[in-house]
């Protein structure tokens, strides 16, 4: 089978700066939009980022209709509700204000209202049909209010498919927002635990993008339109992922401990975007693949600072809990890159040997997790050895990311990785 020889650099246009949300009216006018669906969730709908967005759109004479029913953990049902709203509303543009869930919901609403199809048509293989998006979408401008998902830069929308209790997604470069409005004013009031989880999500995005299977070790696509958004590590994703790891390692703890530290908070938000460009082009691998059943099978765990009525293992937490075990496992495939990642996190690697690479990187991740108050492994969020087979079963269909593991992982390997993730220190 011939191997891939090409890669591309796809990203949204990004505008960064304190207060830039006030310019979103102009950003949509520039796109030619006159009637816009503003997608957010019910927790944010009466908060400042939404108010500033609506006011800015109004100032440019744009008819803005608020949709505040994006689910915090989107499902096919919540996506379909937003799609229906979009189809009925006859919009010529979309603005998403919120975390990854609101941005992903807006991507789905834009996709299916622009190119109507049966819902499973564009959903990733093997769960859906994985058909490529047939053409351009309407302009979507994303205004992230958490520093973590990087969804403003990617062509990916993640959701839970309720009938099989699995997370899957839609991935195509046409889903990518035309612009990300990255405004540090919008992350000022983020609760500590949310800031920690989203921050560690972006750290893991960057670490995965740096160490993921290289693009030229992936089979070549039969047609350029079949080249995946997650292409594998390449020289461009490398740059963005590397710099994101440095910025997060230097600023995340300070930004969480003191949210009034505008400089640290701004750096973390910018780093989320860098990490998003890194993994949006390079891809993620096992920590993300393994995270989906960890989130999906939650029983009664409620993290501090989250609404008590809904058991939840936040995405970033579910991802980073698997990360130390994964990097100990994958280091053998590319020890130099794993050591380089540890160096970017601030480790002195001058005396480290290639055999140490996994342990050194895992140690740095664990140290960061402890500093920001993560639970000690999967056992601390309600899982035990008896759950491991089910967790493996939930990971196996996540081909889009598991196939990009730098070291192939069998079901038996995944089992061991989950076992090793039960307790981390
Ligand atoms: Zn993530």
């Amino acid at each position: 089978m011939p191997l891939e020889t090409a890669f591309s650099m796809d990203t949204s246009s990004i505008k960064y700066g304190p207060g830039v949300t006030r310019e979103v009216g102009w950003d949509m006018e520039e796109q030619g939009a006159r009637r816009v669906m503003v997608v957010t969730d019910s927790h944010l709908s009466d908060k400042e980022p939404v108010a500033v967005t609506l006011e800015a759109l109004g100032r440019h004479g744009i008819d803005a209709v608020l949709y505040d029913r994006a689910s915090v953990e989107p499902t096919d049902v919540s996506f379909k509700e937003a799609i229906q709203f979009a189809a009925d509303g006859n919009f010529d543009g979309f603005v998403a204000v919120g975390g990854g869930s609101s941005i992903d919901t807006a991507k789905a609403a834009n996709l299916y209202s622009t190119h109507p199809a049966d819902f499973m048509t564009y959903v990733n293989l093997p769960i859906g049909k994985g058909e490529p998006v047939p053409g351009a979408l309407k302009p979507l401008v994303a205004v992230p209010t958490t520093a973590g998902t990087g969804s403003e830069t990617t062509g990916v929308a993640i959701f839970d498919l309720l009938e099989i209790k699995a997370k899957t997604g839609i991935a195509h470069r046409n889903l990518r927002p035309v612009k990300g409005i990255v405004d540090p004013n919008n992350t000022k009031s983020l609760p500590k635990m949310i800031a920690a989880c989203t921050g560690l999500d972006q750290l893991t995005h960057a670490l995965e993008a740096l160490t993921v299977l290289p693009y030229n070790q992936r089979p070549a696509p039969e047609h350029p339109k079949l080249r995946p958004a997650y292409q594998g590590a390449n020289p461009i994703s490398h740059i963005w992922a590397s710099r994101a790891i440095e910025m997060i390692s230097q600023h995340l703890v300070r930004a969480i401990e003191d949210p009034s530290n505008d400089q640290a908070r701004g750096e973390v938000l910018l780093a989320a975007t860098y990490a998003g460009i890194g993994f949006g082009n390079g891809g993620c691998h096992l920590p993300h693949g393994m995270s989906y059943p960890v989130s999906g099978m939650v029983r009664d765990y409620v993290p501090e600072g989250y609404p008590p009525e809904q058991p939840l293992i936040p995405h970033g937490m579910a991802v980073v809990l698997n990360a130390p075990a994964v990097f100990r496992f994958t280091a053998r495939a590319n020890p130099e890159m794993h050591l380089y990642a540890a160096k970017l996190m601030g480790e002195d690697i001058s005396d480290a040997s290639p055999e140490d690479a996994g342990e050194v990187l895992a140690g740095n991740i664990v140290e960061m997790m402890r500093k920001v108050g993560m639970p000690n492994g999967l056992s601390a969020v309600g899982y035990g050895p008896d759950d491991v087979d089910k967790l493996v079963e939930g990971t196996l269909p996540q081909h889009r990311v598991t196939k990009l593991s730098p070291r192939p992982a069998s079901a038996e390997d995944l089992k061991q990785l989950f076992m090793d993730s039960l307790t981390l220190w």
Side-chain angles (χ1 to χ4, degrees), residues 61-292:
I62 293 169
D63 186 10
V65 182
L66 186 65
Y67 178 82
D68 67 357
R69 298 198 296 279
S71 169
V72 175
E73 291 288 317
T75 64
D76 52 324
V77 174
S78 75
F79 269 12
K80 283 174 189 162
E81 195 185 334
I83 291 163
Q84 192 60 50
F85 191 91
D88 294 343
N90 208 13
F91 300 106
D92 53 17
F94 295 80
V95 176
V97 185
S101 48
S102 293
I103 300 172
D104 288 3
T105 301
K107 289 174 184 172
N110 188 6
L111 169 60
Y112 288 92
S113 63
T114 310
H115 299 290
D118 176 69
F119 186 72
M120 297 308 282
T121 305
Y122 307 120
V123 172
N124 293 329
L125 290 165
I127 293 170
K129 293 198 194 116
E131 285 184 21
V133 173
L137 304 192
K138 289 168 186 154
L140 162 63
V141 169
V143 186
T145 62
T146 62
T149 70
S151 182
E152 71 278 8
T153 66
T154 73
V156 179
I158 301 286
F159 66 95
D160 283 307
L161 188 61
L162 290 178
E163 66 200 58
I164 58 167
K165 271 194 121 188
K167 251 196 214 314
T168 181
I170 305 165
H172 190 275
R173 42 178 62 79
N174 291 6
L175 260 64
R176 202 181 303 268
V178 290
K179 191 172 276 182
I181 306 285
V182 183
D183 180 347
N185 288 358
N186 291 337
T187 59
K188 256 185 190 156
S189 54
L190 209 56
K192 260 193 167 121
M193 193 46 137
I194 300 183
C197 290
T198 55
L200 290 174
D201 183 31
Q202 51 163 300
L203 174 67
T204 320
H205 284 152
L207 290 169
E208 288 176 59
L210 195 77
T211 55
V212 71
L213 186 79
Y215 76 99
N216 52 8
Q217 293 180 25
R218 219 190 62 236
E222 282 170 25
H223 186 283
K225 76 177 176 189
L226 297 173
R227 181 167 291 127
Y230 286 3
Q231 306 167 85
N234 62 71
I236 295 176
S237 62
H238 180 88
I239 302 277
W240 295 94
S242 300
R243 183 68 187 126
I245 295 168
E246 276 180 331
M247 289 161 78
I248 298 158
S249 303
Q250 287 165 13
H251 300 287
L252 181 63
V253 175
R254 283 192 300 133
I256 292 172
E257 281 171 359
D258 178 13
S260 69
N261 185 331
D262 289 341
Q263 194 249 349
R265 214 185 52 253
E267 288 285 317
V268 169
L269 183 61
L270 200 53
T273 301
Y274 284 31
I277 300 171
F279 88 86
N281 286 284
C284 295
H285 58 94
L286 295 178
H288 270 75
M290 293 167 66
S291 80
Y292 299 127

Side-chain angles (χ1 to χ4, degrees), residues 345-361:
M345 289 188 75
E347 179 74 33
D348 175 6
I349 58 160
S350 47
D351 292 331
S353 70
E355 299 81 65
D356 301 334
E359 197 48 55
V360 171
L361 180 54

